């Protein structure tokens, strides 16, 4: 059973460009969470999605950031007009059902560098 | 509201010695508690969790954690540290019946010296 897949693993963008980060959850998992990790900081929640639904986006900046989890295909976190402050590691996690006791399984992350 | 505190940014221990990584939590109800480990340039890996039942939880790689309700703590322990245990450790909490979004601590860097 393949784990959570994220691609690309490393992404370099110039200021003003768009960044698209992809996350394929574990097989059988229909819940995806996105987190951002900055150096010397912990893991910050961004958005929680189920297939075709955004459940909680309270951690996501209102401007330039969007996320989707279509019926088919991976979840995508999109950052428009990137700025240097967007440089960070972005992780997605998946879980099988809606249960607060569920373990989240994390992908390897995408490291975004904005030049 | 829910919160997690990992009071130590870094823990140093000699190989073969016991290790403890501390975690305290604050929730207004029954907590679900998790420990994850992150190796350099990798994602978080699940170690163990407390849901209910026995206060001592055993997990992967010889780690265990003890849930202490009166002290609102969930410290991670291992009887004999290995150099390969050196990594970043995160504690997380969810409230039973609360938000689906876990709250993570800031992480504790464990360094095991040969």
């Amino acid at each position: 059973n393949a784990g959570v897949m994220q691609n690309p693993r490393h992404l370099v963008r110039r200021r003003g460009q768009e960044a698209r980060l992809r996350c394929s959850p574990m097989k059988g998992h229909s819940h995806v969470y996105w987190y951002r990790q900055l150096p010397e900081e912990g893991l910050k929640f961004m958005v929680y999605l189920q297939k075709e639904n955004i459940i909680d986006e309270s951690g996501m900046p209102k401007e330039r950031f969007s996320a989707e989890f279509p019926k088919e295909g991976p979840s995508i976190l999109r950052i428009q007009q990137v700025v240097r402050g967007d440089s960070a590691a972005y992780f997605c996690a998946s879980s099988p059902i809606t249960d607060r006791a569920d373990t989240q399984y994390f992908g390897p992350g995408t490291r975004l560098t904005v030049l | 509201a829910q919160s997690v505190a990992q009071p130590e940014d870094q823990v140093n221990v000699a190989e073969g010695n016991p290790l403890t990584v501390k975690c305290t939590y604050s929730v207004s109800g029954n907590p679900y508690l998790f420990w994850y480990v992150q190796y350099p340039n990798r994602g978080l890996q699940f170690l163990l969790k407390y849901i209910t039942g026995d206060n001592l939880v055993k997990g992967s790689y010889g780690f265990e954690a003890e849930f202490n309700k009166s002290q609102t703590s969930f410290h991670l322990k291992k009887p004999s540290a290995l150099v390969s245990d050196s990594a970043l450790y995160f504690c997380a909490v969810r409230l039973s019946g609360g938000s689906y979004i876990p709250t993570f601590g800031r992480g504790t860097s464990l360094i095991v010296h040969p």
Side-chain angles (χ1 to χ4, degrees):
Chain A
N1 188 6
V4 178
M5 313 274 284
Q6 288 188 252
N7 68 81
R9 294 292 306 275
H10 300 274
L11 182 61
V12 179
R13 285 288 178 265
R14 296 191 181 280
R15 280 179 296 169
Q17 290 184 318
E18 178 180 284
R20 281 195 179 209
L21 288 60
R22 295 175 186 77
C23 169
S24 296
M26 286 180 71
K27 187 176 180 180
H29 288 194
S30 58
H31 298 257
V32 167
Y33 304 75
W34 284 95
Y35 295 87
R36 178 163 62 180
Q37 185 179 35
L38 290 164
E40 312 303 324
E41 294 189 19
L43 217 57
K44 301 298 184 186
F45 164 75
M46 298 182 74
V47 62
Y48 165 37
L49 309 105
Q50 295 176 22
K51 288 276 187 182
E52 300 183 280
N53 278 309
I54 296 175
I55 306 303
D56 187 330
E57 55 182 349
S58 59
M60 200 151 69
K62 296 288 187 283
E63 307 283 331
R64 303 188 296 110
F65 286 73
S66 63
E68 62 177 9
F69 190 14
K71 187 176 181 181
E72 302 290 339
S75 174
I76 295 175
L77 179 68
R78 181 191 301 177
I79 312 173
Q80 295 178 300
Q81 299 176 315
V82 296
V83 300
R84 289 220 172 101
D86 296 331
S87 295
Y90 292 83
F91 293 95
C92 81
S94 71
S95 64
I97 58 174
T98 306
D99 189 326
R100 295 166 186 84
D102 271 347
T103 299
Q104 292 184 332
Y105 294 89
F106 283 78
T110 294
R111 278 151 186 84
L112 173 66
T113 301
V114 180
L115 301 177
Chain B
Q2 57 194 42
S3 66
V4 170
Q6 293 182 241
E8 300 155 317
D9 289 337
Q10 185 171 301
V11 170
N12 291 277
V13 65
E15 187 175 31
N17 283 1
L19 70 87
T20 298
V21 183
K22 295 179 180 177
C23 172
T24 58
Y25 67 89
S26 174
V27 295
S28 52
N30 293 320
Y32 296 144
L33 293 153
F34 304 80
W35 274 104
Y36 290 85
V37 60
Q38 184 181 30
Y39 297 100
N41 299 313
R42 305 283 293 275
L44 276 68
Q45 294 180 36
F46 170 72
L47 278 179
L48 52 81
K49 66 181 176 183
Y50 170 82
I51 303 302
T52 187
D54 194 347
N55 288 345
L56 185 63
V57 179
K58 294 188 183 296
S60 307
Y61 312 120
F63 283 93
E64 59 187 28
E66 185 166 11
F67 171 63
N68 188 318
K69 189 171 184 178
S70 62
Q71 296 185 5
T72 63
S73 66
F74 189 56
H75 300 332
L76 182 70
K77 300 184 179 186
K78 187 173 182 181
S80 178
L82 300 172
V83 173
S84 58
D85 292 330
S86 298
L88 193 57
Y89 290 80
F90 290 96
C91 181
V93 67
R94 268 185 179 139
L95 173 62
S96 169
S99 170
Y100 292 105
I101 311 306
T103 298
F104 284 83
R106 290 172 58 87
T108 298
S109 177
L110 172 67
I111 300 174
V112 181
H113 302 277

